[in-house]
Amino acid sequence: PPPPPPPPPPPPPFFFHPHAAIRDAQESRGLGDVYKRQVMRIVLVGPGIMTIPPKGWGAVEILIWDTYTALKQLGHEVEIVNTRKPEEIISKINQFRPDFVHVHYDEFIGVYQYIQYPKAITSHFGYLERPELYGSYVNIAQAFAQVRPNVFCLSRGIKVIYSSLMKIPERQLFVTPNGVDLESFRFTMAPEFPDRSIYLAKIDYRKRQHIFQSIDSLWYAGNNADNRFDTEKNYLGEWSKDVLHDHLTEYGNLVLLSDGEAHPLVCMEALAAGLGVVVSEWGSANLDTSKDFITVIPESKVNDIEFVEKSIVENREYSVSHREKIREYAKQFDWMNIVQNYYIPSVKEIVGK
């Protein structure tokens, strides 16, 4: 006999009365003129976990704020909604009456269904390209497969996952990379520590910092959440944003050897500060790996510390003497370029459907 069908995906994680999501038919402006207008009204929905902009670390919140700032500079009307309450999310969206809504939190896939305006959702989950590591995230993945939303994918690899694994149609998938506020980062041609590399990230199991602590020239900054990490060796503590913006340029290159990433902001921050980058396979999204200042460590070689150290040193030596070239390369990730070349065209394509 044929095998039994797979169980249905779980219901969306949030429930509330659907009438709360219906916009006012008398006041709705309609969307037919959006293509004709240069100015759009856009809502960015945050996770509601910390403030936007964040007071300390918070990569998603930084990205939302930088998107907001770039859109505002281009003359668009933008509202940030940052709460965990579904009814409040819908109410605030309806009050603003936007042309487009961008949800930046995959756990809001249930709320997404009740947004009555053109919309898309982005997941910042670090293991999106590694389904074998999903764990309980499989519930969210199944909800995406059921809802089939418009998705702003942070890389082409992530787009493939949504298409092949979750069966979301290609026409609903858009590659919109993250960007960086280039001018926030000080840049120097003569770093104070040209013989040091910096591993700048929250210290945790996914980032794997503890594996590389025998490399004497590798230094670490970030909140420590891994008891395997030795804070007595080359540990700089958690940097504030001001220190990050001012001090990152003083190092030779950046190291990020996580076992999962989406499109890591820290790589673009390093490039903006004139640093080359040494990344794992999972941290290479949207990077031109043919560049000599971008080194990718194969997953099969991550535990070969001698190989990793040699790669870090070679990248650092090249990067320190080619800083101007690195800074020039980083300009393609400036938020104004990302918004104009990727974000707004994707928004208009969805609005025009």
Side-chain angles (χ1 to χ4, degrees), residues 37-49:
R37 290 185 285 110
Q38 294 298 314
V39 175
M40 286 189 289
R41 294 170 63 83
I42 297 174
V43 170
L44 306 176
V45 179
I49 297 172

Side-chain angles (χ1 to χ4, degrees), residues 72-347:
K72 294 280 283 187
Q73 289 177 357
L74 290 171
H76 300 288
E77 299 176 39
V78 193
E79 182 83 0
I80 294 175
V81 173
N82 190 40
T83 174
R84 292 189 65 80
K85 298 178 180 178
E87 298 91 340
E88 192 174 342
I89 293 171
I90 295 299
S91 175
K92 289 185 174 182
I93 289 173
N94 289 343
Q95 288 174 23
F96 191 68
R97 296 167 52 228
D99 300 313
F100 181 78
V101 179
H102 184 185
V103 179
H104 273 274
Y105 194 43
D106 46 20
E107 290 189 22
F108 288 161
I109 186 64
V111 179
Y112 175 94
Q113 300 175 84
Y114 294 108
I115 297 172
Q116 300 296 304
Y117 295 88
K119 59 203 173 184
I121 188 168
T122 292
S123 173
H124 299 270
F125 181 53
Y127 289 131
L128 266 176
E129 292 191 70
R130 304 198 66 182
E132 73 275 13
L133 299 179
Y134 275 12
S136 62
Y137 189 81
V138 70
N139 295 322
I140 294 176
Q142 288 175 337
F144 268 71
Q146 180 185 43
V147 175
R148 293 191 172 186
N150 296 316
V151 183
F152 279 6
C153 310
L154 297 179
S155 71
R156 290 179 179 84
I158 289 174
K159 179 180 178 180
V160 169
I161 289 293
Y162 281 115
S163 174
S164 61
L165 183 66
M166 304 180 206
K167 307 303 181 184
I168 298 176
E170 287 272 340
R171 66 181 181 277
Q172 293 174 222
L173 302 174
F174 305 83
V175 177
T176 56
N178 289 328
V180 64
D181 184 1
L182 201 71
E183 297 307 315
S184 293
F185 288 84
R186 188 170 66 83
F187 172 78
T188 180
M189 291 291 292
E192 182 179 358
F193 306 114
D195 56 347
R196 293 183 185 180
S197 302
I198 183 77
Y199 202 130
L200 182 63
K202 180 180 179 180
I203 298 169
D204 62 15
Y205 278 64
R206 180 164 63 91
K207 304 293 185 182
R208 304 192 287 198
Q209 287 96 331
H210 77 284
I211 296 175
F212 312 105
Q213 286 199 272
S214 63
I215 300 175
D216 291 333
S217 63
L218 183 55
W219 292 68
Y220 304 84
N223 176 41
N224 182 23
D226 186 351
N227 57 19
R228 300 171 299 177
F229 181 80
D230 181 5
T231 58
E232 298 298 317
K233 181 173 183 182
N234 291 4
Y235 180 49
L236 301 169
E238 183 176 0
W239 281 2
S240 68
K241 297 306 291 184
D242 288 341
V243 171
L244 169 69
H245 292 156
D246 184 68
H247 208 58
L248 181 56
T249 192
E250 301 295 356
Y251 287 80
N253 62 350
L254 174 94
V255 176
L256 183 70
L257 299 175
S258 317
D259 66 1
E261 292 285 350
H263 182 200
L265 172 62
V266 70
C267 289
M268 293 173 290
E269 292 175 333
L271 295 166
L275 281 67
V277 297
V278 179
V279 296
S280 64
E281 292 178 19
W282 317 109
S284 64
N286 304 316
L287 296 177
D288 182 353
T289 57
S290 70
K291 301 292 185 184
D292 291 327
F293 51 82
I294 297 173
T295 301
V296 179
I297 304 296
E299 187 65 18
S300 61
K301 302 288 283 185
V302 161
N303 290 304
D304 184 341
I305 303 303
E306 184 178 348
F307 173 84
V308 171
E309 182 172 16
K310 182 175 181 291
S311 300
I312 290 172
V313 171
E314 289 177 352
N315 177 283
R316 186 171 67 221
E317 290 175 348
Y318 179 88
S319 298
V320 166
S321 59
H322 292 83
R323 293 205 138 201
E324 201 166 357
K325 183 186 293 187
I326 296 172
R327 176 78 169 188
E328 185 64 28
Y329 173 75
K331 290 179 180 178
Q332 67 182 284
F333 296 109
D334 184 73
W335 267 115
M336 296 300 285
N337 290 331
I338 294 295
V339 167
Q340 290 177 306
N341 296 329
Y342 295 91
Y343 195 87
I344 291 299
S346 298
V347 169

